[in-house]
Amino acid sequence: MTALDEVSLGVILLILGGVCTGVQGPMNGRLAISTAGSFSAFLSFALGFWPLLIYFLADTKGGKTVDWPEAARNAPGYAWLGGVFGGIFVLILTLVIHRRGASITNGIIVVTQLIISVVIDQAGAFDTTQRDCTGLRGGGLACMIVGIALGKGFFEDMDSLNVQHPHVLTCVSEFVDEIVQFVQHIIDNGYAYKVDGSVYFDVGAFDSKNDHFYAKLEPNLKGNSRLLADSKELTKYKVKKLAKEYDVQKKLHEKYLESLNA
């Protein structure tokens, strides 16, 4: 029994492999934007060749512990071609990930891998141990497929609106620190205030500055008390403060109209 047979070590290595797979795709995709998808995939395998070669030489003592004639006789032909599928996988991942996003791309890959794995386990293909597809496995696959379908719906909506797909997709969670700094900068400038753990934009302070007009897109909605009353989530304090701000807006808007007519 070797160290790799230990369950805990195996799980740790699998998690590490998952991290590497998740990071590799976006990195290769970013390089593909600056160069070409084919070069990015090639470089990925070229760089990976050297650590694998070192491990192979160390593990087999320079290849001496492998009976190569015996391996050639016993290993089926398809067993030698796994790298072909690996190359195709890396190339496809490199070309697609920055067009569809890391979550959608990796999600589809993972679901597809699981489906193929269940089929292989069920059939005991490639000399693997035969394992039946249980209801728990099927239910897990179904949940993942639903999640991918919901994410895919976003791009279908964009297609229906004739919106071109972005070259790069980002998640808001990747920029939390920058967002916090940006909001704090607005507060420091006096254009926002904190109430009960939330931050509100101070439209009165904004409109009081020269060349600042908040309701540029919908000027007719400025000072609309009905919209304020429809907000059920505001406390009395917030309503009073916001109502005051709307009153200030209305007065400023009237002065603005007067200046136009002058």
Side-chain angles (χ1 to χ4, degrees):
M1 184 174 180
T2 64
L4 291 177
D5 293 321
E6 294 289 339
V7 175
S8 58
L9 179 59
V11 171
I12 292 174
L13 290 177
L14 288 172
I15 292 175
L16 179 61
V19 172
C20 292
T21 302
V23 172
Q24 179 199 33
M27 291 175 64
N28 289 345
R30 180 60 188 84
L31 181 60
I33 294 175
S34 299
T35 57
S38 56
F39 173 77
S40 179
F42 164 76
L43 184 63
S44 177
F45 273 86
L47 294 176
F49 168 80
W50 297 106
L52 290 176
L53 177 62
I54 293 172
Y55 177 74
F56 160 71
L57 295 176
D59 182 50
T60 63
K61 297 180 180 180
K64 296 178 181 179
T65 61
V66 179
D67 188 345
W68 296 107
E70 184 69 17
R73 287 192 298 268
N74 293 335
Y78 64 78
W80 302 88
L81 301 176
V84 174
F85 294 96
I88 295 173
F89 162 74
V90 172
L91 178 59
I92 293 175
L93 185 65
T94 300
L95 295 174
V96 173
I97 193 165
H98 272 278
R99 291 176 171 83
R100 292 294 183 178
S103 58
I104 295 295
T105 302
N106 288 324
I108 294 175
I109 289 173
V110 169
V111 169
T112 306
Q113 286 178 331
L114 289 176
I115 293 174
I116 296 299
S117 299
V118 168
V119 173
I120 291 174
D121 281 348
Q122 183 69 33
F126 306 116
D127 294 329
T128 59
T129 302
Q130 196 277 333
R131 293 181 176 85
D132 292 330
C133 179
T134 62
L136 186 61
R137 287 188 178 188
L141 279 176
C143 291
M144 295 190 70
I145 292 173
V146 170
I148 295 299
L150 292 175
K152 185 174 178 292
F154 165 77
F155 291 101
E156 293 177 348
D157 290 342
M158 294 299 99
D159 290 338
S160 64
L161 295 172
N162 292 324
V163 176
Q164 293 184 350
H165 290 181
H167 295 293
V168 178
L169 286 176
T170 60
C171 298
V172 67
S173 57
E174 298 175 1
F175 301 95
V176 172
D177 293 338
E178 290 83 351
I179 294 173
V180 171
Q181 294 175 6
F182 181 78
V183 173
Q184 185 60 51
H185 186 64
I186 296 176
I187 296 175
D188 294 340
N189 286 339
Y191 296 130
Y193 55 91
K194 298 179 182 179
V195 177
D196 297 337
S198 298
V199 178
Y200 292 88
F201 187 70
D202 195 332
V203 292
F206 183 84
D207 272 342
S208 65
K209 302 293 183 179
N210 293 332
D211 300 324
H212 286 54
F213 183 63
Y214 184 71
K216 287 183 177 180
L217 297 180
E218 295 288 346
N220 59 309
L221 296 180
K222 196 169 186 178
N224 192 322
S225 59
R226 181 183 62 81
L227 294 179
L228 179 63
D230 288 341
S231 178
K232 298 180 180 180
E233 298 178 1
L234 297 176
T235 62
K236 291 182 179 180
Y237 171 80
K238 298 173 188 175
V239 170
K240 182 181 294 185
K241 181 171 177 57
L242 289 173
K244 183 179 179 180
E245 290 181 11
Y246 274 109
D247 183 59
V248 172
Q249 286 187 68
K250 186 176 181 181
K251 292 180 179 179
L252 290 173
H253 183 56
E254 291 174 352
K255 292 182 179 179
Y256 175 76
L257 294 178
E258 290 175 0
S259 66
L260 292 178
N261 296 327

